């Protein structure tokens, strides 16, 4: 594994962790008991993983297609794709919450009612 691939792998793990943490924090304040991943959450995280894998494969060629006269490295394009994925999934999560779809749900009952 090249150094650029290692950087990309570390970055994708970091992005997965950030998506998980940010999404989970949205539910932690109003939950009683442990949070459980819901069916919609499994689909949400599977979609995020799919987009990240797609980025691993397609981002280098997309970078060469968009900027053919420069020497854009595959690692740079992957990192840009991964960051864009993080921000895109913030919007996806907001859309889900707006429709009343929960990614996580408290196992101990409904929320605390503090809102």
């Amino acid at each position: 594994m090249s150094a650029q691939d290692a950087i990309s792998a570390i970055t994708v793990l970091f992005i997965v962790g950030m998506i998980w943490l940010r999404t989970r924090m949205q539910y932690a304040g109003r939950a009683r008991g442990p949070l459980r991943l819901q069916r919609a959450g499994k689909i949400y995280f599977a979609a995020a993983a799919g987009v990240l894998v797609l980025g691993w494969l397609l981002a280098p060629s997309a970078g060469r297609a968009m900027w053919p006269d420069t020497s854009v490295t595959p690692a740079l394009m992957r990192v840009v794709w991964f960051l864009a994925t993080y921000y895109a999934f913030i919007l996806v999560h907001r859309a889900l919450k707006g429709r009343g779809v929960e990614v996580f749900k408290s196992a101990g009952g409904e929320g605390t009612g503090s809102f």
Side-chain angles (χ1 to χ4, degrees):
M1 179 182 278
S2 71
Q4 287 187 359
D5 287 343
I7 290 169
S8 296
I10 291 168
T11 304
V12 79
L13 291 175
F14 180 75
I15 294 298
V16 167
M18 290 301 296
I19 291 172
W20 180 272
L21 181 63
R22 186 185 186 289
T23 304
R24 191 167 168 89
M25 286 177 58
Q26 299 294 314
Y27 298 93
R30 61 186 172 111
R32 273 192 203 151
L35 292 173
R36 299 204 187 240
L37 189 62
Q38 299 298 296
R39 181 176 182 271
K42 292 175 185 176
I43 295 168
Y44 173 81
F45 287 110
V51 172
L52 290 169
V53 168
L54 196 64
W56 185 280
L57 300 172
L58 297 180
S61 59
R64 284 190 298 275
M66 292 167 67
W67 297 288
D69 297 333
T70 62
S71 60
V72 175
T73 65
L76 176 63
M77 290 312 303
R78 285 178 178 144
V79 168
V80 168
W81 185 294
F82 299 156
L83 287 172
T85 300
Y86 172 73
Y87 289 114
F89 274 83
I90 290 173
L91 298 175
V92 169
H93 182 246
R94 285 185 182 168
L96 288 173
K97 282 182 74 174
R99 292 181 161 214
V101 177
E102 292 186 335
V103 174
F104 289 99
K105 192 168 188 175
S106 174
E110 300 300 318
T112 60
S114 62
F115 285 83

